[in-house]
Every structure is written in structure tokens, then in C-alpha cells.
Amino acid sequence: MGHLDHATFGWLTPALSYAMACIGAALGLRCTVRALDATGRSRRNWLLTAASAIGTGIWTMHFVAMLGFGVTGTDIRYDVPLTILSLVVAMAVVGVGVFAVGYGRDRGRSLLIGGLTTGIGVASMHYMGMAALRLHGQVRYDPLLVGLSVLIAVVAATAALWAALNIHAPAAVAVASFVMGAAVSSMHYTGMFAVRVEVVPSGATLPGATVMQFIFPLAVGLGSYLFITSAFVALSPTARERAAYASAGRLTEPDDRAVDVAPPGFRTAEAARTPTT
């Protein structure tokens, strides 16, 4: 049985992965709140941004945490296509969840469907990412801890979507994102504690890419995407702000449509007092 180390770099990777989960959650919640105040194409675009933000944040959290994962007695490689597929699955399934909430008429049922779908999607991303591991040995899981990790994912996703429906103040959204980040991190490490690795020593070359060749550059790129998108969302006006600006513009704008409707030959008193030359 190989010894598993979940923090080979100390607290750096757990803390950084938690931060990425919080950023993705905060951005996703803000975009969902914006979507609920919008209509038509604008609502769809906000929901797409929310899905990409939450999915990217969860995926980045998982693989930043995996930067600190090691097993004594074997190197670790990652299957590149399967790792990318896990990112696509994360964004797609989270998208189903947020669209269910964004367009559902019955909010209670939409919340349950969206939370269940999103939670299962988060868990699927995690275990698909784990399936991308390549090492000298066999990976097994504790079924009880696996089930607990899936339950945590579903509860965390449902709570996050509930927050998007009911919490609109920026400070409250920030608190909700911290809670969601903690829940996602708890789901990840619960799933990691379920892992058992039976190392089989071998001199064969492992297929796939090393963590620094593939995971690190991709995580940095997606993290940059989250930061840039967060700045865009923070600077873009809300629907209420746009309506207020438009209303203020109408109040201060001169009315070019005003016309002189005085009948021919009618002169105002001021005009009558003006001497003619």
C-alpha cells in the first residue's frame, strides 16, 4: 500500500485551491443573480458565464489541489484527453443546473433539479479527473467515503443555487461563496481520503503528461480567466443601474420634438411689447 501525501507543498496547494473555489463560486453566483434580473439573450449569456465560472472554478480547485498530491513508490502522470474532458463535463453539467434555475417556473422544483444535477456533475468531474491518473499500481476507493463526497457535492450545489435565488447583496454573496468554496474543498478531500493506492513497482515509462507539463499551465490559464471575468462582471452595470442611467438621461435630455403650436397671427404678450423697427 503506497503512502498518499495530499499536501507535498504544505498548506500552499490546499489554501490556493480553496481560493480558486471561492472565486469561481462568487463569480458564478453574481452572474446567476444578474441573469435572474435579465431577459432574453442577456439572461442566456449571463447563465453561460455562470456555468463556465463555476465549472472552471471547481475544476481549477481540484487540479490545484492535485499539484500537492503524491504517492510514495511511483511517479504520477495525467491522461490529457480525459483531463480536458473532465473540464468540459464540469461546465456542461453545471450549465444544466444553472439553466434549470434560471428558466424554471417552479423555483422549488428547479432548485432540487439544479442542485442534484450540478452536484452529480461536480462529483463526476472529480472522479473523472482521478481516472485520468496514471501510476504504477492500482487505485481503489472506500465506497462509504465516495458516497459521502457525492452527498457533500449535491448539498453544496443546492445551497449555492439557493443563494443565487435568494441572496442579492454583494456582501451576502461573498459570504455564500466562502461557504460554497469550503463545501467544494470538503467534497474534494473527502473523495481523496477515499483513495487507496496499491503500488506495483515497475521501471516502465508511464503514459501521459506530468503535472508541471500540463496541469500547472492549464490551471494558471483558467485561473487568469476567472480573474479577468470577475473584473468584467464587477465593472459592468446591473440591469437596475442601466435603467437608472437611462431614466436620468431622459430627464436631462432636451425634447427636440417640441413644436410651436400657436395659431397663425397669435403673438405672445412679450412679443407684443417688443418694438419693431
Side-chain angles (χ1 to χ4, degrees), residues 2-268:
H3 173 70
L4 278 62
D5 189 349
H6 298 284
T8 58
F9 297 106
W11 286 100
L12 176 62
T13 50
L16 186 57
S17 64
Y18 171 69
M20 299 309 298
C22 291
I23 293 171
L27 179 57
L29 291 178
R30 288 302 299 164
C31 290
T32 305
V33 169
R34 296 286 188 93
L36 296 175
D37 290 336
T39 57
R41 183 181 299 177
S42 180
R43 171 173 289 194
R44 182 202 64 191
N45 292 341
W46 279 119
L47 291 174
L48 287 173
T49 306
S52 67
I54 296 174
T56 299
I58 293 170
W59 188 94
T60 306
M61 176 270 147
H62 170 81
F63 281 101
V64 167
M66 292 302 290
L67 292 175
F69 177 71
V71 182
T72 56
T74 178
D75 294 328
I76 294 177
R77 298 289 186 273
Y78 290 87
D79 182 289
V80 174
L82 193 54
T83 303
I84 294 176
L85 180 61
S86 69
L87 172 61
V88 175
V89 167
M91 291 191 291
V93 182
V94 170
V96 172
V98 297
F99 269 82
V101 170
Y103 286 100
R105 296 182 179 180
D106 185 338
R107 287 201 168 185
R109 184 173 63 180
S110 299
L111 182 61
L112 291 176
I113 294 174
L116 181 63
T117 304
T118 304
I120 292 176
V122 171
S124 299
M125 181 281 303
H126 173 86
Y127 289 105
M128 188 175 294
M130 292 301 295
L133 282 177
R134 298 292 179 264
L135 47 76
H136 294 302
Q138 294 181 343
V139 179
R140 294 188 173 86
Y141 295 92
D142 183 326
L144 182 61
L145 289 177
V146 169
L148 180 60
S149 69
V150 174
L151 178 62
I152 292 174
V154 172
V155 172
T158 304
L161 294 176
W162 177 89
L165 288 173
N166 297 280
I167 297 177
H168 298 278
V173 170
V175 172
S177 68
F178 290 140
V179 174
M180 184 181 175
V184 171
S185 297
S186 298
M187 177 267 160
H188 170 83
Y189 285 105
T190 300
M192 293 307 296
F193 289 143
V195 175
R196 304 289 184 270
V197 178
E198 189 173 319
V199 176
V200 178
S202 174
T205 302
L206 289 168
T210 66
V211 68
M212 290 301 176
Q213 287 174 336
F214 174 61
I215 300 298
F216 180 73
L218 188 56
V220 170
L222 293 175
S224 301
Y225 162 77
L226 288 176
F227 280 108
I228 293 171
T229 308
S230 297
F232 168 77
V233 172
L235 295 174
S236 63
T238 64
R240 293 181 182 179
E241 290 171 342
R242 286 195 299 270
Y245 296 154
S247 178
R250 285 195 297 269
L251 290 175
T252 58
E253 183 177 82
D255 192 351
D256 295 333
R257 296 172 299 174
V259 296
D260 184 4
V261 294
F266 178 80
R267 297 178 66 194
T268 64

